[in-house]
Amino acid sequence: MIRGDGRPWERWGDEGRAVSATYPLTVISAHRGWFDWRLRQLWRCRDLIALLVRRDFVSLYKQTILGPTWHVFQPLLTTLTYTVIFSKIAGLSTDGAPPFLFYMVGAVAWSYFASCLSGTARTFVANADLLGKVYFHRLVIPMSVVLSNLISFGIQLGTLLVILAVFSGAPLRVTGWVLLTPVFLLMLVGYGLGGGILVCALTTRYRDLIHLVTFGVPLLMYATPVIYPLSAVPERYRWVLRLNPLTPVMEGFRLGFLGVGTVDVQQLVTSVGIMLGLLSVGLMLFSHVERTFMDTV
């Protein structure tokens, strides 16, 4: 055993002599700095993350008829709706790209960002019972949300590639920007995770922020070139969209897969910087609040 002061207890050996016994000592403390993110501890929890990812992916469509194939039907139905409303009825420009493909690229990318943001924003509120019973790195749950949604994104991206091949009837018509797809994906992860854990930390005291995320994400979509290209916006208003750091990400996805889009390298670099700043602020606030969130949640 370990004494309260951290020194080992003495035990009696077989020959009646006192033998010092040293045992592992784990100290759990709530006193941490703003930059104490404990990323090594998060890495040691990778098995738990994998378990939660499997739970989220399996339970989402458990006892459903179509099961995981909903990951295929969801973007198809969303894209079909966008095509009918915004292309056929509203007549919005698609920069010369086939409307169905144009809207599907935007729907797949935006769906991943929105799912990450909404899922991580509910970490403390939705998992208060679990977090109050056992200790583990609190970032495990947001990371599991990001990774489980990444599986869905992979399925939807595969569906998109198949449809692109069908539409082209030849090898996919892509540009060199497609090589930056991992960069664009990491940016979506950073914005979704950073924004989500920032809102999550604030919801311990201000629950109405959850409602803000619920109706704010769809509004943000209309302020981002998801259902329309940046080139369709009048020149005098484009500066407003350029203030949105998600604009080069969405335009970059379309430029890579469809060859249409307006991406400014300087704006892309600026967007990466904003993403890193948002993620850092979110991690700092999340680490600060997690110590006492059970007292306020």
Side-chain angles (χ1 to χ4, degrees):
M1 296 180 60
I2 302 299
R3 298 164 57 95
D5 56 7
R7 293 180 297 169
W9 286 95
E10 292 184 346
R11 62 179 178 84
W12 293 99
D14 297 335
E15 299 179 359
R17 292 178 299 179
V19 179
S20 176
T22 303
Y23 298 92
L25 176 62
T26 300
V27 178
I28 300 177
S29 173
H31 301 287
R32 292 190 295 269
W34 288 91
F35 295 95
D36 186 14
W37 300 338
R38 295 162 293 127
L39 298 182
R40 290 185 179 180
Q41 186 182 91
L42 180 63
W43 172 251
R44 291 197 296 269
C45 294
R46 58 188 180 276
D47 292 337
L48 178 58
I49 294 177
L51 181 64
L52 293 177
V53 168
R54 183 180 182 277
R55 180 204 66 176
D56 294 340
F57 186 77
V58 172
S59 63
L60 183 62
Y61 297 112
K62 188 176 182 181
Q63 294 181 336
T64 59
I65 297 176
L66 298 178
T69 54
W70 273 112
H71 292 295
V72 177
F73 284 101
Q74 180 180 353
L76 291 177
L77 293 175
T78 301
T79 302
L80 182 61
T81 303
Y82 287 169
T83 302
V84 172
I85 295 177
F86 298 112
S87 178
K88 302 300 182 181
I89 298 178
L92 295 182
S93 170
T94 58
D95 254 358
F100 190 86
L101 293 179
F102 181 91
Y103 293 122
M104 187 166 188
V105 172
V108 169
W110 184 261
S111 175
Y112 178 63
F113 163 74
S115 298
C116 290
L117 178 60
S118 301
T120 55
R122 293 176 171 83
T123 296
F124 284 156
V125 175
N127 299 276
D129 294 338
L130 175 62
L131 296 175
K133 293 177 181 178
V134 62
Y135 173 78
F136 53 87
H137 200 303
R138 304 313 189 193
L139 277 175
V140 163
I141 295 179
M143 289 301 300
S144 68
V145 171
V146 170
L147 294 177
S148 60
N149 286 322
L150 185 60
I151 298 175
S152 304
F153 175 81
I155 296 174
Q156 294 175 1
L157 182 61
T159 305
L160 171 63
L161 294 177
V162 171
I163 294 177
L164 282 172
V166 171
F167 265 80
S168 63
L172 298 180
R173 294 173 294 181
V174 297
T175 67
W177 284 89
V178 76
L179 298 177
L180 292 181
T181 298
V183 176
F184 297 139
L185 181 59
L186 287 176
M187 292 176 68
L188 291 180
V189 170
Y191 279 115
L193 181 62
I197 60 178
L198 182 62
V199 173
C200 169
L202 295 175
T203 52
T204 57
R205 291 185 178 275
Y206 310 106
R207 295 290 186 89
D208 48 355
L209 288 177
I210 290 294
H211 305 295
L212 177 63
V213 171
T214 300
F215 75 84
V217 171
L219 292 180
L220 181 60
M221 185 189 73
Y222 292 107
T224 307
V226 176
I227 58 176
Y228 56 86
L230 182 61
S231 60
V233 180
E235 184 65 34
R236 62 181 181 275
Y237 297 125
R238 288 184 189 177
W239 67 272
V240 178
L241 288 182
R242 289 195 174 100
L243 293 177
N244 184 348
L246 291 171
T247 295
V249 182
M250 304 305 300
E251 288 286 290
F253 267 108
R254 283 197 291 263
L255 185 58
F257 288 102
L258 302 178
V260 297
T262 305
V263 180
D264 183 86
V265 176
Q266 182 178 359
Q267 186 186 15
L268 183 61
V269 173
T270 303
S271 180
V272 172
I274 295 174
M275 181 270 295
L276 293 176
L278 177 64
L279 186 59
S280 299
V281 172
L283 287 172
M284 285 190 292
L285 189 59
F286 187 90
S287 299
H288 181 72
V289 169
E290 70 165 315
R291 300 177 300 169
T292 58
F293 84 96
M294 284 305 300
D295 298 331
T296 55
V297 74

